[in-house]
Amino acid sequence: MKLLVYGAGVTGSVAAARMHEAGHDVSLLARGERLAALRRHGVLLAEEDSPDVKRVGVPVVEHPAGGYDLIAVFVRAHQVDAVLESLADVEGDVLFLLNWAAGAEPLGAVLGHERVLLGFPSDGGTMDGDVVRHRAAGPLTRLVPIPIGEPDGRLTPRVDRIVRTFRRAGINAKAQPRMDAWLKTHAAFEVPLGQAVEAAGGPVALAGDPAAVRGMLRLMRRNLGALPMPLVPRGFVALRALPEGLLVAVLRRFLRSSTAVHSGLSSTAPAATAELDRLAEQLRALTATAGPQAGSGQASTTST
């Protein structure tokens, strides 16, 4: 496939490197200092705190050009408007792999609805200078594939083709027929998590404050209960059904884990805050449209 990976942060860099190593004609789009660094030494990858750094010579570009079989967009939610403008006249299907709770409509309105696919990156990590420190492969990465789907839920040949392409490159992926609901459910969880981590000064610091974790959990429950559709995946129902004390303990353990520490939650970059603000704005707009029966038939939000 001829691929453009739009966005050279952690997830975009890892995806581009794996696709390049799998033999695809892939270009990685970057800007500014990141573009200059990639031109000097390619993508530099390391698993978590490992001293071993691998260099992958992925071709880099500053602007999209011509057409592509697939454009995979790995940017933050507040950067999407600029991406849409730059891709409006570039041929190719566009797979948005990012935090996004506004649905496909604003994306398709600019690009054409037939071009848009939705997904979410499961890889996490941090930037250590020019080195991408990504999560090590393990049971969790195998259990949590990248979900990819059509906005209307159809299981189409192009989704199947993209999933197979990702898998052959060593990227765990699966078709998700309810991708739009998946992203909105994730946002209801992600916004309180990100805001609480930011306020505490990092995931480990948040884990040391049980009262703050409890407050975060209650906001998650409130958000999930206000969504105007069933939760996807259904496992999120556990955040509303299980006893509060048990969930606080589980969340504190997660926040201390290497998964959380190396997931990017610790980022203090202004871009991380800007993304949370955009996602929170989308979530408010979504839940404001929900009637009094939103979430009916699901578990009670009453704390136990």
Side-chain angles (χ1 to χ4, degrees), residues 7 67 122 162 169 185 198 218 238 253 298 304:
S122 60
I162 293 167
T185 302
E198 184 179 67
R218 290 175 179 175
R253 182 175 180 180
Q298 300 170 356
T304 304

Side-chain angles (χ1 to χ4, degrees), residues 267-294:
S267 175
T268 58
T273 300
E275 176 177 54
L276 272 178
D277 290 344
R278 180 69 180 272
L279 199 61
E281 177 187 328
Q282 293 175 348
L283 192 60
R284 284 193 297 271
L286 174 65
T287 56
T289 64
Q293 298 302 313

Side-chain angles (χ1 to χ4, degrees), residues 42 61 87 136 198-199:
V61 296
L87 293 180
E198 184 179 67

Side-chain angles (χ1 to χ4, degrees), residues 71 87-88 90-94 111-117 158:
I71 302 166
L87 293 180
V90 179
E91 293 183 3
D93 293 333
V94 186
L111 299 179
H113 297 286
E114 73 285 351
R115 296 180 61 193
V116 174
L117 298 110
R158 68 172 177 174

Side-chain angles (χ1 to χ4, degrees), residues 76 124-127 190 193-194 197-206 254-270 272-273 276:
R76 295 186 180 273
T126 57
M127 295 297 301
E190 175 68 20
L193 174 63
V197 167
E198 184 179 67
V204 175
L206 176 58
F254 162 73
L255 289 163
R256 291 191 181 100
S257 70
S258 62
T259 298
V261 172
H262 294 285
S263 67
L265 278 173
S266 301
S267 175
T268 58
T273 300
L276 272 178

